[in-house]
Amino acid sequence: YPADALSKLATQLVLKRVDAGTVLVVQGTEPREFVLLMRGQCEVRRSPEPSRYNKLDGVTTAIYELEDALHVGTLWRGDTFDPESVLSGKEHTYFVITKTMCDILQLSTVELTKFFDPPLMEKFKARAPTFVSGEELVK
């Protein structure tokens, strides 16, 4: 991509400082942004099944409770949050909670999809599970 396109993308990034104990990703919800952990540590938790279901306008939605979720991993500097869901547009598959104060970079999914042409976006979607760690991006 040309430097001007990358510069434009960079202007869309939002740096945020987040307190410890903040829920950043809720399992079962639609992704709204791509997130890169710049500093700090986050816990990843996953609920094996929904605690209940809501039905609204004929659409049934699974509701997951953080209290039912089990620890499945830890995110560190350079990691992204649920890239599979961000790239595919499917619901988040786990919770992400800050364990320490964290600095994160956010890019809305709308801006992310505007940046990539459709064939390249399809390649990212196909390879999404391999993009979990981004340590090399922040060195």
Side-chain angles (χ1 to χ4, degrees):
Y1 281 93
D4 60 328
L6 293 173
S7 294
K8 184 177 179 186
L9 181 66
T11 65
Q12 301 302 313
L13 292 168
V14 177
L15 177 64
K16 289 186 178 179
R17 178 156 288 166
V18 185
D19 292 330
T22 302
V23 178
L24 296 174
V25 172
V26 177
Q27 184 177 344
T29 62
E30 267 186 43
R32 293 202 168 100
E33 63 258 340
F34 175 81
V35 180
L36 176 65
L37 183 59
M38 298 300 294
R39 184 176 72 106
Q41 183 180 4
C42 295
E43 178 182 16
V44 180
R45 298 177 76 179
R46 188 163 201 263
S47 183
E49 56 188 59
S51 59
R52 67 183 190 281
Y53 294 90
N54 281 351
K55 190 170 185 177
L56 180 63
D57 296 329
V59 177
T60 303
T61 306
I63 305 297
Y64 298 88
E65 298 293 337
L66 181 56
E67 294 76 27
D68 300 333
L70 304 172
H71 176 85
V72 295
T74 302
L75 298 174
W76 304 87
R77 179 178 181 258
D79 287 334
T80 59
F81 301 176
D82 202 3
E84 308 81 45
S85 295
V86 172
L87 294 172
S88 69
K90 296 180 180 172
E91 296 175 343
H92 284 296
T93 56
Y94 48 75
F95 291 93
V96 175
I97 307 98
T98 56
K99 290 180 78 172
T100 63
M101 183 178 1
C102 294
D103 290 334
I104 60 173
L105 273 177
Q106 293 179 311
L107 178 66
S108 77
T109 54
V110 171
E111 292 302 323
L112 182 66
T113 55
K114 276 189 209 174
F115 180 73
F116 294 109
D117 56 30
L120 184 57
M121 196 65 183
E122 289 306 313
K123 286 181 185 177
F124 277 134
K125 286 180 183 181
R127 293 183 56 205
T130 66
F131 290 112
V132 174
S133 181
E135 180 67 27
E136 67 278 0
L137 295 175
V138 293
K139 285 184 178 176

